[in-house]
Every structure is written in structure tokens, then in C-alpha cells.
Amino acid sequence: MPTIGIVAGEASGDLLGSHLIAALKAKRSDIEFVGIAGPKMMAQGAKSLYPMERLAVRGYFEVLRHYWGLVRMRKELARRFIDNPPDLFIGIDAPDFNLGLEMMLRRRGVKTLHYVSPSIWAWRHGRIKKIKQAAGHMLCLFPFEKPIYDTANIPATYVGHPLGDMIPLKQDQDAARMALKITDPGLVIALLPGSRQSELDFMADLFVKTAQKIAADFPDAQFLVPLVTRETRSKFESAIYRNQAQDLAFKLLFGHAHMAMAAADGIIVASGTATLEAALLKRPMVIAYKISKWSWPIMKRMGYLPWVGLPNILAGKSVVPELLQDKATPQALAEALLPMISDKQRVAEIQREFEEIHHQLKQDAGEKAAEAVLEMIG
């Protein structure tokens, strides 16, 4: 019975992993999956040895606080997979954790595959050397990534993005609102402050205060807030009470991010995979991000591209606003979003750009990724 070691580090990786496992099991029902998995991967039968939340840490100084725990966990995983070698190890994203683990395993003869190229095209170009030592094969989500690996003589396959397959090309806003029981004709704004607890520490108050600014101009505005865990929901609820915003029309959801974004007139979203989801749902958005004041200067020095948001990176131009760190204030976010969503011509232009991105990414990613995996395990 083939065994695949697999590690995902956050909600987006859990989604990718679940699609890959489903596609593989359709071809080979006898494959076992073990490592670190989230709820979607576990629903497909993956066995998780540690809670995925332990890997979901962002920012240099935030990672330092958890450093020794992460090192110990990686050593324990490496020992397990060396003592009981899987037919293949797949690291899904989480490059700071997974590339090191892949290097340990590959040196001991375990085949390795990395799913989701690290952002070497945006920053940390020197990481390509480590990737060459760690990954026997790279699965790329975006079309511009494969040529980088071809040049470095690293086997790579462009598979597209599962979200491009999963999200319909056309959205029914009325159906989404009906499903969420939204009957008031007023403004509907989706707020996505992040999937990690560490992100909510920096984003929750910002998003609540921004909602207050929007509600000052649009008193009947409704705010949809999809959150992925009880912990992140608790942090957002605390921010509502801390800012005395209980009178605002917040609708906190467990999951249902796609439905919330489809129902919205506009979105304020933390930089990350959710920005891509918003683009594939063809919704105007403002991208925001804040990290600790200690981590920000390091991140800023390492940046090469003029954008951090995937919609702008994929379009190769500034399609939607990005407000980062000190520029991400409640007033600035509200002033960036409200004129944009009230301008029908601009909304139509944004939607055209996002439709083009959607067609590029719609490649039947799970099927292509599964074919690459099966080729490696024979």
C-alpha cells in the first residue's frame, strides 16, 4: 500500500491538499496520507500527527517566539519518515518549514515534491538554491513560475490553481445574498482579516474601525466576516467589543468565505490567498496588511515587486489598491473602497481583468497535480 507523507501549514494549503488527495484517491484508492493536515485534508482521509495551527505563524519575530517548538516538530517528523520512509513526501507551501524537512528526507533517499512555489519571483531570489536541494519536483500554481524553474534546471509542472477550477466563471450575487439571508438592499461589505490567529492580532481592530468609518457614511451597511476557527472568531469578537462597535451590522460566519465575497459589493481583505479568491469571484477589493513593527522593515527590504497582492501580481499592474502597514488606516481603507465600488465603469474594468486571470488559472489543477505525483511514485 503506497504511503505519501504530506504537510500543509495553513488553510490555503489544506484546500490544495484536499483537492490533490481527492484526485489521487480517484485514481488509486489504496494510497495512505500521513503528516500535518487541516480539516479539509482530514475529511479526505489524511492522518494528522500535529495540529496544523502550530505552523500558521507569520512574521519574523512571531516565528522566533515559536522557533524551538517548530524545530522540534520538524525533527520528529523527519525521524518518523526516515524510520518509515513514505513512497513520496509532499510539502504544501509553508516553505520555511517544508523545504528544510524535504532536504533532510531527500538526503536519506526519500522522494520529495513541493506544491506551491515560494515567492522567489517577488523576494528571496537566493532561495532557488535551497529549493534545488530540497524538491525533486515543483508544482507551480501560476503560469510565470515554471520558466524560472526551467532556467534553474529544477523539474517543474504548471498545474494551475484549484480555486480557478472550483469557483464558477460567473457569480450570482442575488443567490449568495439569499443563502446568507440578506434581504436589506443596503451596502454589503465582506471583511476578511486573515486565517491565522497572528494575523487577527494585527488586523481585527483595523477592520472593525474601518467598518465604523464606512457605517458613518452608510448607516445601513452590513459587514460579512468569514472566520475559519473559533480562535479567530473570538479575536474578532473581542475587537468589536473593544471598539464599542456592537451596534454595527456584523454577520460573523464560520467559513463560507466564498459566499460572503460573492454576496458583497466590495471586499477588504488581508493579503494572501483570499485576495485571489476575491479576484476569481470578480469583486472589487482593497488589500490590506499589517505585521509587527519589527518584522516590517525586514520584509520591506526584501521586496522586489511593486505589489504584494496576487491579483495585481498576476495582472502585472495595479488593478486594486494595496494599503500596507502604516498606510493601512481605517480612514484610508474606507476612502479607497467606497469610491471604487460606486464607480460602475471602474468595477467593470476590474471584473474584466479578473476574468482574464480566471481563464489563465483554470487548468484542472487537482488532476494535473495528481498525474505528477503518480509519475513520481510509479
Side-chain angles (χ1 to χ4, degrees):
M1 181 180 292
T3 300
I4 292 178
I6 193 164
V7 171
E10 57 186 275
S12 59
D14 186 36
L15 177 67
L16 291 169
S18 68
H19 282 269
L20 175 58
I21 293 171
L24 283 167
K25 292 184 86 169
K27 297 174 182 292
R28 288 283 303 271
S29 60
D30 59 336
I31 300 176
E32 289 189 339
F33 300 86
V34 61
I36 299 178
K40 290 183 172 65
M41 291 167 64
M42 288 190 282
Q44 293 292 339
K47 180 183 178 183
S48 190
L49 304 174
Y50 301 90
M52 190 180 71
E53 182 71 20
R54 286 178 60 179
L55 285 181
V57 183
R58 176 168 288 191
Y60 289 97
F61 287 90
E62 293 77 8
V63 169
L64 283 175
R65 289 208 311 270
H66 300 274
Y67 177 76
W68 292 113
L70 293 170
V71 168
R72 185 168 56 252
M73 185 165 61
R74 185 162 62 186
K75 284 183 177 178
E76 290 170 0
L77 272 173
R79 176 50 52 197
R80 178 189 176 96
F81 289 136
I82 288 167
D83 290 344
N84 301 281
D87 295 272
L88 175 69
F89 175 81
I90 302 173
I92 304 178
D93 209 357
D96 290 314
F97 185 90
N98 274 328
L99 291 177
L101 180 55
E102 289 162 28
M103 286 178 72
M104 294 181 208
L105 297 178
R106 200 174 182 202
R107 287 178 187 140
R108 296 300 189 97
V110 177
K111 294 179 182 178
T112 59
L113 178 146
H114 195 83
Y115 192 3
V116 184
S117 168
S119 303
I120 53 173
W121 31 268
W123 59 297
R124 293 178 72 171
H125 286 59
R127 189 184 261 179
I128 195 81
K129 296 176 183 176
K130 184 175 183 179
I131 293 169
K132 193 167 187 175
Q133 294 175 316
H137 200 100
M138 177 66 69
L139 298 184
C140 303
L141 302 185
F142 304 120
F144 56 80
E145 293 173 327
K146 186 180 184 310
I148 298 171
Y149 290 99
D150 291 342
T151 300
N153 293 315
I154 298 171
T157 303
Y158 170 54
V159 299
H161 202 296
L163 288 172
D165 304 315
M166 191 172 74
I167 296 174
L169 286 166
K170 301 295 180 185
Q171 294 300 313
D172 189 336
Q173 187 180 57
D174 292 336
R177 291 190 178 190
M178 189 178 300
L180 292 171
K181 297 181 171 57
I182 298 172
T183 55
D184 194 302
L187 195 66
V188 178
I189 304 296
L191 302 175
L192 287 93
S195 61
R196 302 178 179 91
Q197 293 184 53
S198 56
E199 288 176 311
L200 270 289
D201 290 336
F202 293 101
M203 307 295 282
D205 285 285
L206 171 64
F207 277 41
V208 170
K209 290 176 181 178
T210 301
Q212 289 175 315
K213 291 287 184 184
I214 293 171
D217 291 330
F218 295 88
D220 57 351
Q222 298 181 66
F223 302 94
L224 307 177
V225 191
L227 298 159
V228 298
T229 65
R230 293 184 185 279
E231 291 79 11
T232 53
R233 181 188 176 107
S234 176
K235 284 181 179 290
F236 199 87
E237 286 176 334
S238 296
I240 291 173
Y241 285 100
R242 193 162 49 244
N243 292 285
Q244 299 181 347
Q246 299 95 314
D247 57 330
L248 267 62
F250 285 112
K251 193 182 195 72
L252 273 56
L253 307 167
F254 272 124
H256 301 297
H258 289 183
M259 196 176 293
M261 289 190 276
D265 296 301
I267 301 169
I268 299 176
V269 56
S271 178
T273 303
T275 64
L276 180 62
E277 296 175 71
L280 295 174
L281 289 160
K282 321 298 186 303
R283 290 294 179 262
M285 75 187 88
V286 175
I287 298 168
Y289 211 68
K290 291 175 81 77
I291 56 177
S292 78
K293 64 180 180 179
W294 310 110
S295 296
W296 174 247
I298 300 171
M299 291 285 289
K300 192 174 181 182
R301 280 199 300 272
M302 297 180 84
Y304 292 100
L305 287 180
W307 314 285
V308 301
L310 283 169
N312 292 333
I313 291 169
L314 287 164
K317 58 184 175 183
S318 184
V319 179
V320 294
E322 296 182 0
L323 295 170
L324 312 177
Q325 206 63 6
D326 293 341
K327 293 182 179 178
T329 65
Q331 186 72 30
L333 291 174
E335 289 178 352
L337 182 69
L338 294 175
M340 177 170 55
I341 61 178
S342 65
D343 185 339
K344 291 183 179 179
Q345 183 176 340
R346 187 174 178 194
V347 169
E349 290 171 357
I350 290 170
Q351 289 173 335
R352 280 194 294 272
E353 292 284 351
F354 289 168
E355 187 162 352
E356 187 174 328
I357 288 171
H358 201 154
H359 283 291
Q360 288 178 359
L361 300 184
K362 189 176 174 64
Q363 299 286 325
D364 199 355
E367 185 73 16
K368 286 188 175 180
E371 288 172 1
V373 169
L374 290 175
E375 189 172 332
M376 289 193 74
I377 67 172

